Amino acid sequence: MTVVRVWKGYGSPDGVERYCREHFVDTVLPQLRALDGFVAARVLVRLLAGEAEVVVATEWASFEAIAAFAGADVEQEIGRAHV
């Protein structure tokens, strides 16, 4: 069994596209791949009225692996981020 952690961000369509194409691919994904317990990541984008939503679902081998990445409170609500 694996565990999924979800992060959401919002921004302009151009900002979300830039986040997905540049920041996630060049910075976030290499860092995730270097972590013990990281399994996979998926990026989903939804266009809304005037903005875009990006959802990053990361898959982990355990809650402990998530805690090593995100901190001890793996159930903490993740706020609205702007990209």
Side-chain angles (χ1 to χ4, degrees), residues 39-78:
V39 175
R42 185 168 186 175
V43 178
L44 307 167
V45 175
R46 179 171 67 149
L47 297 177
L48 305 167
E51 68 178 354
E53 175 185 50
V54 60
V55 176
V56 179
T58 52
E59 190 175 342
W60 300 86
S62 66
F63 280 109
E64 293 79 17
I66 294 173
F69 165 68
D73 189 1
V74 297
E75 297 294 329
Q76 178 180 350
E77 182 70 25
I78 299 172

Side-chain angles (χ1 to χ4, degrees), residues 9-61:
Y10 298 85
S12 69
D14 288 342
V16 167
E17 180 183 343
R18 194 168 42 257
Y19 169 82
C20 294
R21 186 181 65 244
E22 296 172 11
H23 181 69
F24 185 81
V25 170
D26 295 340
T27 303
V28 176
L29 195 54
Q31 291 175 358
L32 290 172
R33 287 180 173 149
L35 297 173
D36 288 337
F38 173 74
V39 175
R42 185 168 186 175
V43 178
L44 307 167
V45 175
R46 179 171 67 149
L47 297 177
L48 305 167
E51 68 178 354
E53 175 185 50
V54 60
V55 176
V56 179
T58 52
E59 190 175 342
W60 300 86

